[in-house]
Amino acid sequence: MMSPLDPTDTANDPMPVRQRLARILEGSDFPALSKQIIDTLSGLDDDAHSLQRLANVVLREYSLTLAVVRTANSVHYRRGARPIQSATHAMMMLGARTVRQLASSLMLFENYARKSPELKELMLLSLLTANHARAAAARLQQDPEEAHLCGMFRNLGEVLVAGHFPEDYARIRELMADGTRSETAATRQVLGFPFADLGVEVSRHWGMPDTVVQGIRARAAASASVGAAITSFSHDLTHALYRLDADASDIPLAVEAVIEQHGAKVKLTREQIGGIVTDALEETRELFVNPQIATDRMRFRQLTSAARGALGESVTARDEDTPTETGTVDVAALRVRLRQELEEKVDVASGASVGEVLLLALEAVMRGGPYGRALACLFTPDRQRLIARTGLGEGVEALIAQFDFIVSVRGGPIVSITQQRQAVYLPADRGFTTPEVRWAQSMGLTQFGVFPLVVLGKIVGCVYCDRLGGEEIPDRATVRYTKAIADLVVDAIGRRRSV
């Protein structure tokens, strides 16, 4: 994925940029982040396997699950009267490309926002820029999710320097604080190149679209495309409104300057800009503000106050302390919503395939259980093997490879339980048999469940799930819920076979 730096991109010697990138890649966590982003951006289409891989990326992070569901429910995508609750359903609606872009943005946010207060603030500004860009693009009839991706990565170079070279970053801030040096002058003195050069090099290393590179370089007077102009406008709007060192009395003038500088290419009224800022604040509330942390609530109120001070009543974002979503999940209510959504897809008239129903069911099991992993296993056409076809959860790709069982007495407990036609979660329903103990130990498990799928009197496979580590055994209500989800899968398969 690594691309050589185009020597026309900068008048500086590019070697310092490559040296910095090499040092970053030697770090403990950055290679893992790079692999996640590269894997997410590359080689995924709108097919069932890609959807499964994306679902595993999305469901791993609560904030990303929220982002995907919320995006599908936005005015730009919403098609039905009832809000979508399932991330898998949301991904089917949005498509792989949109979800890849969302996932990449949120991976960057999650990786750096947790490292230090300074980086958390930088990531907040990046997220606001991304949300400004999405809202502006929607109003200008451009691609909202591509704009979001460009906005999120617009300030990548500064984030990387702050995260991996904190002493250099502190020196840059010191040089800028006395007012004698611009950002460009300070970065060239300390680094030998501007922040943008490092951002471009890393975005190319990740295989980011060319639009992201253009967005990193975009400036008000030199943006070659509408997309780049939106990225530049969104970045400048964020910094005019929300810099921590800004004087409140200067913010309205700074916002007016942004509107004037970008007005030729970003043709938006003040009322539209107020709506853009409102949308961005509401999006940021759900992803960033933690109701348990007073400093976060205070910062959010500062954001809304600054926006209203500059744009008046056109900013209608709420500024109460408690956000609309928190990390606390009402599992009983979530189960009801996920089950209702699955029931709609069971109907043949919904147009959902068996594969799509299986993924929706596995998400309902994973999030509603909740469980660590869930698999859909089916018999081969000759009924000689029971094989995992798809799955969700931590390390599920490796688990799927292990779920290939001979249908015989030597096939092991998964085959045996499936053939008995009775759902069982061990050890909630009964104690382990000796073969079950041996198999569970070989898999590093202390509990697991098998829910046979019996369609029109014939066993076709099973839903498997487990909890990892020292998690408590599911209660009876959880096991009943899981069985109900498996029964909906049976209903879906049966309806499609009888058509």
Side-chain angles (χ1 to χ4, degrees):
M1 296 299 255
M2 187 81 168
S3 299
L5 188 67
D6 183 346
T8 63
D9 284 344
T10 176
N12 294 310
D13 178 358
M15 285 307 294
V17 180
R18 293 197 183 120
Q19 288 168 357
R20 296 277 178 168
L21 175 58
R23 287 177 59 186
I24 292 172
L25 288 170
E26 291 170 358
S28 58
D29 61 343
F30 190 80
L33 172 67
S34 292
K35 185 178 187 305
Q36 280 185 307
I37 289 179
I38 290 169
D39 286 351
T40 301
L41 283 170
S42 62
L44 293 177
D45 299 312
D46 290 314
D47 58 22
H49 182 63
S50 294
L51 189 62
Q52 177 216 331
R53 288 174 57 194
L54 276 173
N56 273 311
V57 171
V58 169
L59 294 173
R60 199 176 300 140
E61 294 286 352
Y62 175 72
S63 60
L64 183 52
T65 302
L66 278 184
V68 169
V69 170
R70 187 176 57 253
T71 299
N73 284 315
S74 68
V75 174
H76 187 72
Y77 294 101
R78 182 95 167 260
R79 296 170 189 166
R82 180 180 293 176
I84 291 171
Q85 303 295 334
S86 160
T88 304
H89 184 187
M91 285 184 280
M92 291 174 189
M93 176 179 289
L94 295 173
R97 176 176 173 272
T98 295
V99 177
R100 289 200 308 264
Q101 292 171 340
L102 276 172
S104 300
S105 295
L106 269 295
M107 284 174 192
L108 184 73
F109 179 85
E110 294 285 350
N111 185 74
Y112 287 103
R114 63 171 67 101
K115 290 185 180 296
S116 71
E118 189 169 52
L119 272 166
K120 185 176 184 180
E121 179 66 21
L122 276 177
M123 295 316 303
L124 170 59
L125 296 179
S126 292
L127 191 58
L128 283 162
T129 295
N131 290 334
H132 283 151
R134 174 195 278 148
R139 285 163 174 81
L140 293 169
Q141 299 184 326
Q142 301 293 310
D143 184 336
E145 302 317 321
E146 183 172 83
H148 186 277
L149 181 73
C150 293
M152 193 71 194
F153 285 84
R154 168 64 176 78
N155 214 31
L156 177 60
E158 183 175 0
V159 170
L160 293 167
V161 172
H164 298 276
F165 308 102
E167 292 181 1
D168 289 338
Y169 186 68
R171 177 61 179 149
I172 291 168
R173 302 307 301 176
E174 287 173 8
L175 291 172
M176 293 173 60
D178 62 13
T180 62
R181 291 176 181 81
S182 66
E183 179 186 289
T184 299
T187 53
R188 288 187 184 279
Q189 180 174 330
V190 176
L191 303 173
F193 53 85
F195 288 137
D197 284 8
L198 184 58
V200 165
E201 188 74 354
V202 172
S203 69
R204 287 175 172 167
H205 171 73
W206 284 338
M208 286 284 175
D210 289 341
T211 50
V212 172
V213 174
Q214 293 168 11
I216 290 172
R217 295 245 185 252
R219 297 293 182 271
S223 299
S225 66
V226 176
I230 289 172
T231 304
S232 180
F233 163 76
S234 301
H235 170 79
D236 290 350
L237 180 63
T238 298
H239 281 259
L241 284 169
Y242 302 131
R243 284 184 300 109
L244 280 172
D245 58 354
D247 189 301
S249 62
D250 294 335
I251 293 175
L253 290 175
V255 172
E256 289 299 326
V258 170
I259 294 173
E260 182 177 349
Q261 289 166 2
H262 292 272
K265 284 209 168 182
V266 182
K267 300 181 186 301
L268 295 163
T269 65
R270 285 183 61 83
E271 185 176 356
Q272 286 177 316
I273 293 171
I276 287 166
V277 170
T278 297
D279 290 353
L281 286 170
E282 291 295 343
E283 291 281 319
T284 305
R285 172 202 304 277
E286 296 188 15
L287 284 172
F288 186 83
V289 177
N290 186 327
Q292 307 302 318
I293 303 176
T295 54
D296 280 2
R297 299 200 305 272
M298 185 186 306
R299 181 65 176 122
F300 189 79
R301 298 181 82 169
Q302 289 173 347
L303 297 175
T304 53
S305 176
R308 289 200 185 110
L311 293 163
E313 294 181 359
S314 63
V315 175
T316 59
R318 293 165 291 124
D319 62 358
E320 66 269 21
D321 287 344
T322 305
T324 56
E325 293 278 1
T326 72
T328 302
V329 178
D330 182 340
V331 173
L334 179 64
R335 287 175 181 173
V336 171
R337 296 196 299 267
L338 291 172
R339 181 171 173 175
Q340 286 176 340
E341 197 155 321
L342 179 60
E343 286 172 346
E344 292 177 0
K345 294 299 181 182
V346 166
D347 189 344
V348 176
S350 71
S353 67
V354 170
E356 289 171 341
V357 171
L358 285 174
L359 269 179
L360 285 164
L362 293 180
E363 181 186 346
V365 169
M366 281 276 297
R367 292 174 64 198
Y371 295 97
R373 303 177 298 189
L375 300 176
C377 306
L378 299 174
F379 286 114
T380 55
D382 61 8
R383 303 188 65 80
Q384 297 300 303
R385 307 188 81 83
L386 179 65
I387 299 175
R389 297 297 187 183
T390 188
L392 296 174
E394 183 179 348
V396 75
E397 296 289 348
L399 185 65
I400 287 174
Q402 293 177 280
F403 268 59
D404 183 350
F405 306 111
I406 299 171
V407 179
S408 72
V409 292
R410 296 182 292 109
I414 305 301
V415 171
S416 175
I417 295 171
T418 299
Q419 289 179 320
Q420 291 168 22
R421 298 178 175 234
Q422 293 296 316
V424 61
Y425 196 92
L426 305 176
D429 291 323
R430 59 168 173 77
F432 286 96
T433 65
T434 299
E436 290 163 354
V437 168
R438 289 173 182 162
W439 183 82
Q441 289 177 341
S442 73
M443 300 293 290
L445 297 171
T446 59
Q447 56 179 293
F448 67 90
V450 179
F451 298 80
L453 304 175
V454 183
V455 179
L456 304 176
K458 184 176 180 180
I459 308 170
V460 300
C462 69
V463 170
Y464 166 92
C465 55
D466 60 32
R467 287 180 175 176
L468 303 173
E471 296 180 36
E472 64 181 78
I473 306 297
D475 58 18
R476 296 306 309 155
T478 300
V479 175
R480 285 196 301 271
Y481 165 78
T482 311
K483 184 179 186 305
I485 296 300
D487 287 344
L488 285 172
V489 172
V490 168
D491 191 12
I493 297 172
R495 292 191 190 196
R496 283 154 180 77
R497 289 190 174 183
S498 61
V499 171

